[in-house]
Amino acid sequence: MELLTKASYSSEVNEREKDNLIVAYEAACESVVLLKNDGALPLATKKVAMYGPGVSMTIKGGTGSGEVNERHSVTILEGMKDRGFEVTTKAWLDDYARYYENAEELYRQKKKKRINIFKPKTIMDMLFDDFCRPAGPDITEKFITNDTDTCIYVVSRQAGEGGDRKLEKGDYYLTDDEYKAISVCAASYDKFILVINSGAAIDMSFTEEIAGINAILYICQLGTEGGHAVADILSGKVSPSGKLADTWAKKYDDFPFAGEFGYLDGNLTADDYKEGIYVGYRYFDTFAVEPMYPFGYGLSYTEFSLYCKNVSISGHKINVDVYVENVGNKYSGKEVLELYISAPVNGVHKEYQALAAFTKSSVLEPGAGEELSLKFDLADMAYYRESDASYVLEQGDYILRLGNSSRNTKAVAVISLDREVIVSKNTNICPQPAKIEELKPATTDTTNLPRLLLSADAFTTAYYSYEKPALTDDTRVKDFVDTLSVEDMAEIVVGIGMFGGEKYFNLPGSVGNTTSKFVDRGLINVTLCDGPAGLRIQKRSTVEKGGKVKAIDMSMSIFEHFPKFVKKFMIGNPEKSPVIYQYTTAFPVTAALAQSWNAELLYKVGQAVLREMKEYGCTYWLAPAVNIHRNPLCGRNFEYYSEDPRLTGMLAAAITKGVQSEDGYYVTVKHFACNNREDERNFMSSNISERALREIYLKPFELAVKTGGAKAIMTSYNKLNGVYTANSHDLCTKVLRNEWGFDGVVMTDWFSTGGRKADDALAIKSGNDLIMPGGSSNKKKIIKAVKKGTISETDLRRCCENVVKSVMNSALQKEYIDK
């Protein structure tokens, strides 16, 4: 088959790449959180001492499917130099480079021994990059420079797909070497700034033990323009405006049931969500546990005041008008406005408060202000009552709290609901094998405030029909599927992977494709590419004789550890064959983007990703990932947004709208649902009450579908209450299609079916339309199941129609087949 690809034979930087770097820089600047500052920032000098692993080896993102193969990512050292800073500690940094090189070589040798190319499980296990960056040489007197009074130390951590973080030194805790180095720096310089370069929280108790830490900057992992963004924030060119999307605890044990997460209690087969709805700030605020840094917290170089001008109701939609003003006299900046709501407690326990709405100001000069509106629908704040499968608003007072963190709010109004409202009548889903005893707190407070009366008559109860969705009424899709046999339909609902299967259209580095076997009948294959920090494809490939494409820079870091004979077979030689180029942009990781609290910015990031999808021919972007930060040790928290479902869902909806702002390109919201742990993810069960499931863990998916219009969903590896999510009719049909009105494609996560994992045939019956990446055994199982009557031909046809419809509506189909 003739090679058809949109890759370029030119390595020149194009206009799209330049434009996307601007977006990446803006996103990086808004994602940085200033945790502490006694006046040391912004820097008063252009001459600084710099130490720590993250200075010259800055981590731009996580590993696994979260990797992006960009042209280059700017380190903090490069960024500082580019912005005119003089770094006085070249001797230490040069020594560190040698330490790093030696440690990395030892790691490579160790990893080579662990990989068995004949056992796919060992390869999947190696997705988790457990390389621990050395702290480097001791910071002794010979490295301490006397020509500056200012020092910066960068702590760095990296995690990734396939394994969780550990409650150990070098991961959640500082190593002894790091503790010593920070202590020396803090004692040796008048102004000491600590920078945390980690995809998720680390233990920060050491900052209360070590004297002399003047400022702390949490940069998370900022992608390709991170170094420039950090330099501009340190210099004061940009005032930090990021806010934490998670609560940082004073000590790990402050998290509810912290010792029962994953490996800590020795049970890798199940996680019992005993905290129920009390995740993150919901727990800390309700149970009065003092955090190190609260949810929504972040400092600026200036100060802001918030004034609630008016609260109004239209139907059951609430609008709060707020005037925000920069009351500082030197620096401009942006402020985040956060609106929380405390619901009445009439015998049903609830969190002290929940985020209802948020927005971010424009850049305000000193003395300048603007009026902003915070809007939400009270119906969206209903709790789920399991006894009658209903979303309910209880009668009573709903207190609105305005502020700039969960611990810095002021009650501004009360919405008084005259009687109970049943917002919707649902059906119970995902029953627990055994009931879990959950946390139950004391009641919320009451207060005297301006009171707005709201009649229950303003609401209409929603009812749902829980039936299998009807077959398509799209004539073009129906006519095409009418020509297919059961065997043909099995071909369509089973995808092909990165390395296997013949492709009509080839996007080097895509992790999957739909089938190419029907191109002569008018159906192209479309490509699926990883995210969520950007489009993950191969940046350089060779085109061999006959059109075979080989990667030069493998798109997954584990491949560098393969034996030489395998790499020779898989990896192209640019000296012998023509080279094609696909340079994409590494945006800040999702956890960093969440810290921007800026939906408009995430829409821009989505549009930037769309430009790259169009340029290279990607149809499905396997992002956004919206799993909740239930515990800071989850290895993929960097890929997810927040501990809060509304912040997560609204930002995911914004990036979804950006990507899908042109027809024929789709996001894939993942991992549906409760994939909140990586260790043994293929075999563990997340055991959870239906109330917590619906209010916390499904809510971001709901917002991405109903507000963002997401066109694809990916089920997760794990079981939910003992049932694999890919085999859950409750999730894939009842909730997703019957309740939320989803009209797109549901796909499995890669290699999540077969063997002891989810069943292929049941996945189709439950409403998974596409088995990924798929193979001949998957097809055989589905065909056999139809013949045995385990699944009906109608079940298979329904899934086939969904896939065909998405392909026929894709931009790639229109470009190459329908032109």
Side-chain angles (χ1 to χ4, degrees), residues 6-42:
K6 297 177 80 171
S8 171
Y9 283 92
S10 171
S11 63
E12 296 298 315
V13 178
N14 61 26
E15 289 304 309
R16 184 272 311 157
E17 196 172 352
K18 294 176 185 176
D19 291 343
N20 279 10
L21 286 177
I22 295 171
V23 178
Y25 167 78
E26 182 183 354
C29 287
E30 292 208 26
S31 298
V32 174
V33 182
L34 181 61
L35 297 176
K36 177 182 179 179
N37 189 24
D38 67 1
L41 291 178

Side-chain angles (χ1 to χ4, degrees), residues 316-541:
H316 42 79
K317 295 184 178 179
I318 315 299
N319 182 78
V320 180
D321 294 321
V322 180
Y323 186 76
V324 54
E325 182 181 0
N326 182 346
V327 296
N329 55 20
K330 189 172 183 180
Y331 297 104
S332 59
K334 293 185 172 186
E335 178 64 311
V336 172
L337 284 64
E338 305 168 26
L339 185 68
Y340 297 83
I341 188 167
S342 296
V345 177
N346 297 328
V348 178
H349 66 91
K350 299 187 183 75
E351 63 274 268
Y352 168 72
Q353 61 184 357
L355 184 69
F358 62 92
T359 191
K360 195 168 191 176
S361 75
S362 59
V363 176
L364 299 176
E365 300 295 328
E370 66 177 332
E371 186 173 315
L372 298 170
S373 292
L374 293 156
K375 305 173 186 290
F376 72 98
D377 190 331
L378 189 62
D380 292 337
M381 309 307 294
Y383 86 96
Y384 187 77
R385 189 165 62 197
E386 295 182 25
S387 60
D388 60 349
S390 299
Y391 280 96
V392 179
L393 289 170
E394 288 193 301
Q395 176 184 358
D397 291 343
Y398 291 78
I399 305 168
L400 303 185
R401 305 181 188 277
L402 175 67
N404 61 3
S405 83
S406 73
R407 289 298 178 99
N408 185 31
T409 62
K410 179 181 178 181
V412 294
V414 173
I415 308 298
S416 187
L417 184 62
D418 61 358
R419 65 178 187 275
E420 179 184 277
V421 171
I422 295 180
V423 173
S424 65
K425 291 290 291 184
N426 301 66
T427 189
N428 290 128
I429 59 165
C430 304
Q432 290 179 273
K435 189 171 178 61
I436 297 170
E437 192 66 33
E438 293 182 331
L439 285 176
K440 293 180 181 179
T443 61
T444 58
D445 69 344
T446 58
T447 187
N448 294 318
L449 290 167
R451 187 176 301 273
L452 289 81
L453 300 180
L454 177 57
S455 170
D457 295 337
F459 296 83
T460 302
T461 303
Y463 296 88
Y464 304 103
S465 174
Y466 291 96
E467 298 176 357
K468 288 196 173 182
L471 295 175
T472 186
D473 57 2
D474 186 320
T475 303
R476 187 182 177 204
V477 173
K478 180 180 181 301
D479 290 347
F480 179 86
V481 178
D482 279 345
T483 69
L484 303 179
S485 64
V486 167
E487 289 74 16
D488 290 337
M489 288 191 284
E491 289 283 351
I492 287 174
V493 301
V494 175
I496 56 177
M498 186 188 307
F499 305 114
E502 194 173 21
K503 309 176 188 73
Y504 174 72
F505 181 85
N506 189 349
L507 197 173
S510 63
V511 293
N513 293 261
T514 57
T515 182
S516 276
K517 294 192 174 181
F518 300 93
V519 172
D520 58 348
R521 292 158 71 173
L523 191 74
I524 200 172
N525 72 288
V526 296
T527 60
L528 302 92
C529 300
D530 264 331
L535 195 64
R536 186 166 75 89
I537 54 180
Q538 289 168 194
K539 61 182 177 182
R540 297 190 305 155
S541 307

Side-chain angles (χ1 to χ4, degrees), residues 479-625:
D479 290 347
F480 179 86
V481 178
D482 279 345
T483 69
L484 303 179
S485 64
V486 167
E487 289 74 16
D488 290 337
M489 288 191 284
E491 289 283 351
I492 287 174
V493 301
V494 175
I496 56 177
M498 186 188 307
F499 305 114
E502 194 173 21
K503 309 176 188 73
Y504 174 72
F505 181 85
N506 189 349
L507 197 173
S510 63
V511 293
N513 293 261
T514 57
T515 182
S516 276
K517 294 192 174 181
F518 300 93
V519 172
D520 58 348
R521 292 158 71 173
L523 191 74
I524 200 172
N525 72 288
V526 296
T527 60
L528 302 92
C529 300
D530 264 331
L535 195 64
R536 186 166 75 89
I537 54 180
Q538 289 168 194
K539 61 182 177 182
R540 297 190 305 155
S541 307
T542 59
V543 181
E544 310 292 314
K545 291 180 180 178
K548 182 177 177 60
V549 176
K550 288 186 177 181
I552 299 171
D553 314 286
M554 294 301 291
S555 63
M556 297 170 77
S557 59
I558 58 169
F559 291 118
E560 67 180 271
H561 308 294
F562 277 23
K564 286 184 179 179
F565 77 91
V566 176
K567 289 195 285 188
K568 185 176 180 180
F569 173 76
M570 297 175 65
I571 299 176
N573 186 342
E575 304 297 324
K576 294 183 178 180
S577 302
V579 179
I580 54 177
Y581 302 89
Q582 298 178 133
Y583 288 111
T584 60
T585 310
F587 296 96
V589 297
T590 308
L593 290 175
Q595 294 176 171
S596 74
W597 288 66
N598 190 337
E600 291 181 3
L601 176 61
L602 267 74
Y603 179 83
K604 288 174 64 175
V605 172
Q607 287 191 309
V609 172
L610 169 63
R611 289 188 67 180
E612 297 181 0
M613 294 172 69
K614 291 174 63 178
E615 184 174 331
Y616 297 121
C618 172
T619 297
Y620 286 94
W621 184 45
L622 304 182

Side-chain angles (χ1 to χ4, degrees), residues 358 532 590-591 593-607 609 621-628 639-642 644-661 666-671 697-713:
F358 62 92
T590 308
L593 290 175
Q595 294 176 171
S596 74
W597 288 66
N598 190 337
E600 291 181 3
L601 176 61
L602 267 74
Y603 179 83
K604 288 174 64 175
V605 172
Q607 287 191 309
V609 172
W621 184 45
L622 304 182
V626 300
N627 296 104
I628 292 296
E639 287 190 61
Y640 308 147
Y641 288 86
S642 170
D644 181 74
R646 184 158 300 277
L647 179 63
T648 296
M650 294 307 292
L651 293 179
I655 207 167
T656 293
K657 288 179 181 178
V659 170
Q660 296 183 174
S661 58
Y666 315 129
V667 303
T668 307
V669 187
K670 61 184 187 181
H671 308 88
Y697 298 95
L698 295 187
K699 182 60 70 174
F701 293 95
E702 180 181 6
L703 290 168
V705 169
K706 293 168 70 172
T707 303
K711 298 296 185 183
I713 297 286

Side-chain angles (χ1 to χ4, degrees), residues 35-68:
L35 297 176
K36 177 182 179 179
N37 189 24
D38 67 1
L41 291 178
L43 297 176
T45 178
K46 281 285 189 176
K47 188 179 288 188
V48 295
M50 300 191 77
Y51 306 93
V55 175
S56 56
M57 301 294 180
T58 311
I59 298 174
K60 53 92 176 179
T63 62
S65 66
E67 290 182 295
V68 180

